[in-house]
Amino acid sequence: MDSEFKKQELNVTGEGYLPGLAIDAVIFGFHENELKVLLLTYKNTGFFALPGGFIYENEDVNEAARRVLFHRTGLKDIFLEQFYTFGDKSRHDVEPLKTIMGARGFIPKDDHWLLGRFVSIGYYALVDFTKVNPAPDSISDSCDWFNLTDLPNLMQDHGNIISKALDTLRLDLDHKLIGFNLLPEIFTMGDLQSLYETILNKKLIRAAFQRKMLSMGVLERVAKKWTGGAHKAPYLYKFVSEKKA
Amino acid sequence: MDSEFKKQELNVTGEGYLPGLAIDAVIFGFHENELKVLLLTYKNTGFFALPGGFIYENEDVNEAARRVLFHRTGLKDIFLEQFYTFGDKSRHDVEPLKTIMGARGFIPKDDHWLLGRFVSIGYYALVDFTKVNPAPDSISDSCDWFNLTDLPNLMQDHGNIISKALDTLRLDLDHKLIGFNLLPEIFTMGDLQSLYETILNKKLIRAAFQRKMLSMGVLERVAKKWTGGAHKAPYLYKFVSEKKA
DNA sequence: TATTATTGTAACATATTGATACAATGAAAA
DNA sequence: TTTTCATTGTATCAATATGTTACAATAATA
């Protein structure tokens, strides 16, 4: 049982946290040509939710987001970006939470701090699927990858949050070099293209894609060549952050 | 004295508002080839600040932003978009507020709710300069337009907020049709181009700009022609929201 | 009526992206 | 070992988009 758990259970008033404010993290991964999202599962409730957390009184909001990300994935120095703050009053829906807490044997009073209205700051993260160690938080039973194309019913407005995160990812992909954050350190041009195709949900022209990517001067060919198919071996690449002018 | 004033002064505990949460609005205008921002002035303090406000307990955050915008400009149905939530703990700086309140003859206790830490949700708005009626709020002396190129010293991180709003505006300008929100209903191609040039801070090619804008099929030529110069009269345009397929 | 500055657009040059083609080649099959 | 096969890397050309120059049209002014 991790320390987060005790804090949440004991801290009946939510003391130490900024009141009414939460963080939700849409953690994207990529594996076997599928975009994936990390979700928490609450056994025997049928509920699924985004990993999230609260902000300590003397902590930057961005810091808190990093902390949440680290606890769910074991990763630091990850691409993480705030994309929207969800503040509709219609978000406020206590029933799922009551059910979840009930399933854990904890019946909260109606004025329990977790049952109040929360404004939630949404972050999205791009992680290397192979490096993640998904870990549930105190009130969830597991933390697993789900295909974006086959999501379960999500708590509250979490489906909407994911959808907005995906919109932002697609826009950002067009004018920032962020896709490689979803790949292992070393990858082929084919890997990169199918990543882009999966995110954008459309076929790209192979020759043009390769030409474009190489023209940006941020890919470095690695000596070693990939092997494993009955055909010419593709080059292996890694990203170099600084463009050489 | 508007009703907002009484609420803020009387409401010593900040009751009725979501705690620790605020809204800051970067309201852009365009006049005489200058981008402008609405700022509140606090006489005898040297402080300037973005218009802002708080969120009622049973109000959507976006609603609150519209309310703030309406109170400062008298305008409804305005382009307004959330762009970032500012949550660094270093934002917390009570001195300016104490000075401002002091200049108004109000010495707050150290635990006054306005002196606590706030997370602020940033919105930017694009308004028709000619239609705005700037109105100060309860604790400010005036609300005026300032040139973006010649801003006074701003309170707290408000300079940073404006700068991030401008970054967002520039990005959005490239892939959304939002510029016209800063112009009167009817304008010339020259007006539109100099607006774009001012926002992007670079010269654009006249022929290419015109071709591009016309090719998007969202400009409608208005019968009446502009007059006022010793040269061929330019067409007048207005935006039509629906593209005709 | 001539002058002048600016507009609308054509025409061409250059750059970017789309589409097709093909030689290179690494593994598996023959 | 040789042949077959699928896929890669890149060249080539086509289509589109953007940068550049040029010029006729024209509304106010002189």
Side-chain angles (χ1 to χ4, degrees), chain B residues 205-208 211-212 227-233:
Chain B
I205 297 145
R206 189 175 63 90
R211 183 176 47 199
K212 189 85 200 291
T227 173
H231 52 74
K232 182 176 177 179

Side-chain angles (χ1 to χ4, degrees), chain B residues 35 43 162 168 176 192 217 230 245:
Chain B
L35 251 192
K43 237 173 256 168
I162 291 176
T168 308
K176 296 180 198 172
L192 190 61

Side-chain angles (χ1 to χ4, degrees), chain B residues 26-46:
Chain B
V26 180
I27 303 169
F28 288 111
F30 183 67
H31 189 60
E32 289 176 343
N33 285 345
E34 293 262 25
L35 251 192
K36 294 173 185 276
V37 186
L38 265 189
L39 295 181
L40 298 172
T41 308
Y42 302 99
K43 237 173 256 168
N44 305 323
T45 66

Side-chain angles (χ1 to χ4, degrees), chain B residues 79-231:
Chain B
F79 179 89
L80 177 67
E81 201 163 274
Q82 188 197 300
F83 65 95
Y84 195 76
T85 294
F86 298 85
D88 279 6
K89 60 179 189 285
S90 64
R91 305 185 73 236
H92 193 199
D93 177 13
V94 297
E95 288 316 315
L97 258 178
K98 279 189 178 172
T99 307
I100 289 167
M101 293 164 105
R104 290 244 142 200
F106 177 66
I107 311 295
K109 285 189 193 162
D110 277 348
D111 65 347
H112 189 279
W113 68 291
L114 282 173
L115 301 184
R117 173 183 173 184
F118 278 86
V119 167
S120 186
I121 305 172
Y123 283 80
Y124 81 96
L126 305 181
V127 305
D128 176 352
F129 183 89
T130 63
K131 290 210 178 134
V132 173
N133 228 314
D137 67 8
S138 57
I139 57 168
S140 58
D141 297 288
S142 69
C143 182
D144 306 287
W145 290 108
F146 286 79
N147 284 335
L148 208 61
T149 52
D150 189 26
L151 290 177
N153 266 334
L154 289 154
M155 242 175 77
Q156 295 178 352
D157 60 347
H158 289 196
N160 178 42
I161 293 178
I162 291 176
S163 147
K164 188 134 191 166
L166 184 58
D167 290 346
T168 308
L169 169 57
R170 282 178 177 154
L171 282 175
D172 287 353
L173 200 62
D174 280 341
H175 50 90
K176 296 180 198 172
L177 287 164
I178 56 173
F180 63 91
N181 290 292
L182 285 163
L183 293 174
E185 267 200 41
I186 292 201
F187 50 87
T188 68
M189 192 58 73
D191 293 338
L192 190 61
Q193 184 177 340
S194 75
L195 168 67
Y196 270 70
E197 288 180 342
T198 305
I199 294 175
L200 301 174
N201 196 29
K202 67 173 177 187
K203 278 267 162 229
L204 300 174
I205 297 145
R206 189 175 63 90
F209 181 81
Q210 177 137 344
R211 183 176 47 199
K212 189 85 200 291
M213 285 297 155
L214 291 179
S215 78
M216 306 205 306
V218 293
L219 290 181
E220 188 181 300
R221 280 187 178 154
V222 174
K224 190 166 63 102
K225 291 199 177 188
W226 176 85
T227 173
H231 52 74

Side-chain angles (χ1 to χ4, degrees), chain A residues 150-232:
Chain A
D150 189 27
L151 291 177
N153 266 335
L154 289 154
M155 241 174 79
Q156 294 177 354
D157 60 347
H158 288 196
N160 178 43
I161 293 178
I162 291 176
S163 148
K164 189 134 189 165
L166 183 59
D167 290 345
T168 308
L169 169 57
R170 282 179 177 152
L171 281 175
D172 286 354
L173 199 62
D174 279 341
H175 49 90
K176 297 179 197 172
L177 288 163
I178 57 173
F180 64 91
N181 289 292
L182 285 164
L183 293 174
E185 269 200 40
I186 291 201
F187 51 87
T188 68
M189 192 58 74
D191 294 338
L192 190 61
Q193 185 176 340
S194 74
L195 169 67
Y196 270 70
E197 289 180 341
T198 305
I199 294 176
L200 300 174
N201 194 32
K202 68 173 177 188
K203 279 266 161 230
L204 300 174
I205 297 144
R206 189 175 63 90
F209 182 81
Q210 178 138 344
R211 182 176 50 198
K212 189 84 200 290
M213 285 296 154
L214 292 179
S215 78
M216 307 206 304
V218 292
L219 290 182
E220 189 180 302
R221 279 190 179 152
V222 174
K224 190 165 61 101
K225 291 198 178 188
W226 175 85
T227 172
H231 52 72
K232 181 175 177 178

